[in-house]
């Protein structure tokens, strides 16, 4: 886990589609828009490929927070993949609440390819949110130091 000083620095996994979201990440990079290094990007052919198991696996492998970034509604290159992802994220948030991990550790964002700033903002927002929430309860269960 990344740690600066005495503060908790969360590990965050972002599932991003290779179209709009990845392009927005590239734009952020090209424009030198900084966003927290806490975020590990996992590229997906479309957010419609993201299911609850991927999200749970990310938590199991040490993520303190997870988010999904897809194309804007109506602009998915696979037609309705982002809508399916939105529905799965909603259901998985409920599941996270039920198992005690907390649904607020999961979010979904929508960006178009040119929205580098919005992409960076999502990374900042999630990092701040998870920083405030603290380490994933799963870390303790797995015997990891938090
Ligand atoms: Fe981007 Fe489907 S291709 S969310």
């Amino acid at each position: 886990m990344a740690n600066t000083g005495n503060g908790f620095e969360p590990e965050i996994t972002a599932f991003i589609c290779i179209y709009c979201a990845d392009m927005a990440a590239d734009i952020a990079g090209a424009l030198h828009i900084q966003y927290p290094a806490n975020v590990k990007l996992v590229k997906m052919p479309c957010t419609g490929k993201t299911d609850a198991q991927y999200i749970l696996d990310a938590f199991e492998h040490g993520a303190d927070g997870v988010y999904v970034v897809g194309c804007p509604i109506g602009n998915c290159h696979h037609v309705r993949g982002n809508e399916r992802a939105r529905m799965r994220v909603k259901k998985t948030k409920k599941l996270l609440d039920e198992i005690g991990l907390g649904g607020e550790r999961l979010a979904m964002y929508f960006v178009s390819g040119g929205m580098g700033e919005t992409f960076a903002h999502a990374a900042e927002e999630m990092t701040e949110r998870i920083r405030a929430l603290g380490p994933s309860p799963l870390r303790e269960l797995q015997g990891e130091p938090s």
Side-chain angles (χ1 to χ4, degrees):
M1 172 173 28
N3 206 330
T4 55
N6 292 328
F8 160 64
E9 283 299 330
E11 286 185 23
I12 296 173
T13 299
F15 292 103
I16 67 169
C17 88
I18 57 168
Y19 292 99
C20 300
D22 193 31
M23 204 182 296
D26 284 349
I27 294 284
L31 296 176
H32 304 290
I33 302 169
Q34 305 245 322
Y35 58 89
N38 307 58
V39 178
K40 182 175 80 181
L41 303 180
V42 180
K43 296 181 187 186
M44 311 289 285
C46 171
T47 56
K49 185 87 178 101
T50 315
D51 63 16
Q53 191 60 56
Y54 285 15
I55 293 167
L56 295 174
D57 283 351
F59 281 110
E60 201 178 317
H61 287 99
D64 300 295
V66 175
Y67 66 102
V68 179
V69 191
C71 304
I73 296 296
N75 279 334
C76 172
H77 290 66
H78 295 274
V79 188
R80 302 185 72 177
N82 52 2
E83 291 176 42
R84 284 197 298 278
R86 182 172 61 178
M87 197 180 63
R88 287 179 190 145
V89 163
K90 195 173 162 191
K91 283 185 181 170
T92 309
K93 280 167 81 71
K94 267 192 201 157
L95 178 68
L96 292 177
D97 277 335
E98 284 166 16
I99 63 176
L101 267 179
E104 66 274 27
R105 291 183 183 273
L106 174 63
M108 180 154 190
Y109 296 88
F110 302 92
V111 299
S112 62
M115 296 168 72
E117 208 157 321
T118 306
F119 185 87
H121 178 72
E124 276 167 20
E125 190 173 84
M126 277 306 284
T127 302
E128 276 170 30
R129 183 196 298 185
I130 306 300
R131 210 178 261 148
L133 286 171
S136 160
L138 211 49
R139 284 184 185 279
E140 224 166 278
L141 287 175
Q142 292 173 332
E144 269 188 50
S146 52

